[in-house]
Amino acid sequence: MSNYYYTWSIEDKLRFPFDGSENILGCFGQAMQDIFILSCTKGKQNGTFLEIGCNVPKGCNNTYLLCQSYNWEGISLDFLDFSEDWKNQRPNDEFLKADALSLDYDLLLENKFKGKTNIDYLQLDIDPAPNTLQCLKRLPLNKYKFGIITYEHDLYSMGSQYKSEAKEILQRHGYELIIDNVLVNWRGVDDPYEDWWVHPELVDMSIANEFKNLKTGDPKKFLFK
């Protein structure tokens, strides 16, 4: 791994190969979120996303692979100004420097997607965890549905309060928790830091349920055989 770029050998086998997966030998998501998304959508082309807390445009980014190899389109926003990096590395993708806790998301999504209310992917990752929860509460979940949500709760450092409240909100809006406490190793230990959700109306639940039945938060164990 280098700068959160994961690679694997040809001997490694994806649990759910997707269109074009034979040409992909690496990914950029911090915990291989991009491979989970492509697995659940069967390698969907021209998908859509809202990436809240996008960070840098390439390494440690959940949408770089989606945009570069599968022509996805969306909005990537962050409180910090990475605009020059995005201009240089992803000139065709939209970066927005903004405070995620003050945006009008209904207006933002309406302007971007022109009335389309089913969005393929939502990332929620703004530090600290209380801010991510407040951002979730600002989203117009009664109007928009997201096929896949990766929600960072940082359970390892913040306790269960913010995770539990987010879980109640998402379940109330019809989402199903597929991977509970996804693990990431950045301190030499496996830390539970995210939950991965799907909306059963927007993804293939046969794949999502197989992931769920594996009952592990280790991405290498549930994404690969």
Side-chain angles (χ1 to χ4, degrees):
M1 181 181 71
S2 174
N3 195 25
Y4 292 108
Y5 175 67
Y6 291 84
T7 62
W8 48 86
S9 69
I10 196 68
E11 288 80 16
D12 294 322
K13 296 186 183 298
L14 286 170
R15 191 170 297 279
F16 299 104
F18 45 83
D19 288 349
S21 61
E22 68 276 8
N23 300 317
I24 295 175
L25 294 178
C27 65
F28 297 84
Q30 191 172 49
M32 294 189 274
Q33 289 91 336
D34 39 9
I35 297 301
F36 176 72
I37 296 162
L38 290 169
S39 296
C40 287
T41 62
K42 300 180 179 180
K44 181 175 182 176
Q45 294 280 349
N46 303 306
T48 53
F49 64 85
L50 173 61
E51 185 180 23
I52 300 175
C54 63
N55 201 274
V56 296
K58 189 175 181 180
C60 194
N61 182 276
N62 293 342
T63 64
Y64 178 81
L65 178 63
L66 306 179
C67 291
Q68 296 300 306
S69 298
Y70 288 86
N71 201 36
W72 283 44
E73 180 183 9
I75 304 169
S76 299
L77 65 94
D78 202 284
F79 184 72
L80 299 176
D81 189 358
F82 296 106
S83 55
E84 284 301 312
D85 293 331
W86 280 73
K87 187 185 301 181
N88 292 330
Q89 297 182 41
R90 294 174 62 174
N92 297 320
D93 300 330
E94 181 176 353
F95 171 79
L96 176 64
K97 181 186 180 299
D99 179 356
L101 300 182
S102 64
L103 283 173
D104 181 338
Y105 287 100
D106 197 357
L107 180 62
L108 182 72
L109 292 169
E110 174 64 33
N111 288 339
K112 179 65 177 181
F113 297 114
K114 310 302 181 186
K116 182 176 182 179
T117 56
N118 290 340
I119 310 299
D120 292 299
Y121 172 54
L122 168 66
Q123 169 183 307
L124 280 163
D125 175 7
I126 55 174
D127 296 323
N131 288 353
T132 306
L133 178 61
Q134 292 306 312
C135 185
L136 175 64
K137 291 178 178 180
R138 293 185 60 84
L139 292 171
L141 296 178
N142 290 327
K143 179 177 179 180
Y144 291 90
K145 296 176 183 177
F146 300 91
I148 298 166
I149 298 176
T150 59
Y151 181 89
E152 183 168 328
H153 50 62
D154 289 333
L155 178 65
Y156 72 95
S157 64
M158 300 300 297
S160 62
Q161 172 187 351
Y162 306 108
K163 170 185 167 72
S164 299
E165 191 169 351
K167 181 177 181 179
E168 188 279 326
I169 292 170
L170 290 170
Q171 287 180 332
R172 175 159 36 92
H173 285 88
Y175 293 90
E176 292 192 22
L177 179 59
I178 301 303
I179 309 294
D180 186 34
N181 289 331
V182 175
L183 303 174
V184 68
N185 190 316
W186 51 34
R187 304 183 306 159
V189 296
D190 289 329
D191 288 322
Y193 88 118
E194 277 194 346
D195 286 343
W196 293 358
W197 298 79
V198 302
H199 198 292
E201 296 177 11
L202 302 183
V203 302
D204 185 335
M205 287 305 294
S206 65
I207 293 176
N209 283 328
E210 287 200 46
F211 275 130
K212 185 176 182 178
N213 291 336
L214 293 170
K215 299 185 184 303
T216 175
D218 185 339
K220 291 181 181 178
K221 291 181 179 178
F222 62 74
L223 289 172
F224 296 92
K225 294 181 180 179

